[in-house]
Amino acid sequence: LPVISYFGHINQTNDFFGKQANIASFYKHQFSETEALNFLYTNGITFVYNGKDEKLNPNKDLSYPFLKPIYTNQDVTIYRVKD
């Protein structure tokens, strides 16, 4: 399956700064649960990566109830968005 990334390098991401702000709000739990789920659904995001850089945020672990961990090692957790 092809992988489509919501956010990447500044030169390869449309609306880089807007998306960067959304990502920060998501990882810092500044969105309510409803807003976070809407953000994921609206943007077609089905998997969430939580690695070393993402864990630099104050909330190191993503505790949204609609995220199911599907892979974990010492450096990263990958979540699937529950239907």
Side-chain angles (χ1 to χ4, degrees):
L1 295 173
V3 174
I4 299 171
S5 177
Y6 172 77
F7 184 76
H9 190 275
I10 190 169
N11 294 329
Q12 298 172 333
T13 302
N14 291 330
D15 188 22
F16 177 86
F17 295 106
K19 288 183 176 182
Q20 185 178 43
N22 286 339
I23 295 275
S25 294
F26 178 80
Y27 280 100
K28 292 179 181 179
H29 289 262
Q30 294 173 336
F31 285 150
S32 69
E33 286 182 10
T34 301
E35 290 170 324
L37 186 58
N38 186 49
F39 162 70
L40 297 174
Y41 281 155
T42 299
N43 291 288
I45 299 169
T46 54
F47 294 95
V48 175
Y49 179 91
N50 196 31
K52 289 181 180 180
D53 290 339
E54 294 77 17
K55 291 179 181 181
L56 293 175
N57 285 307
N59 295 319
K60 297 175 190 248
D61 295 313
L62 295 176
S63 58
Y64 294 113
F66 47 80
L67 294 180
K68 177 184 176 187
I70 59 167
Y71 176 81
T72 301
N73 69 22
Q74 66 186 26
D75 297 323
V76 64
T77 300
I78 298 174
Y79 298 89
R80 179 165 179 80
V81 180
K82 295 178 185 176
D83 294 331

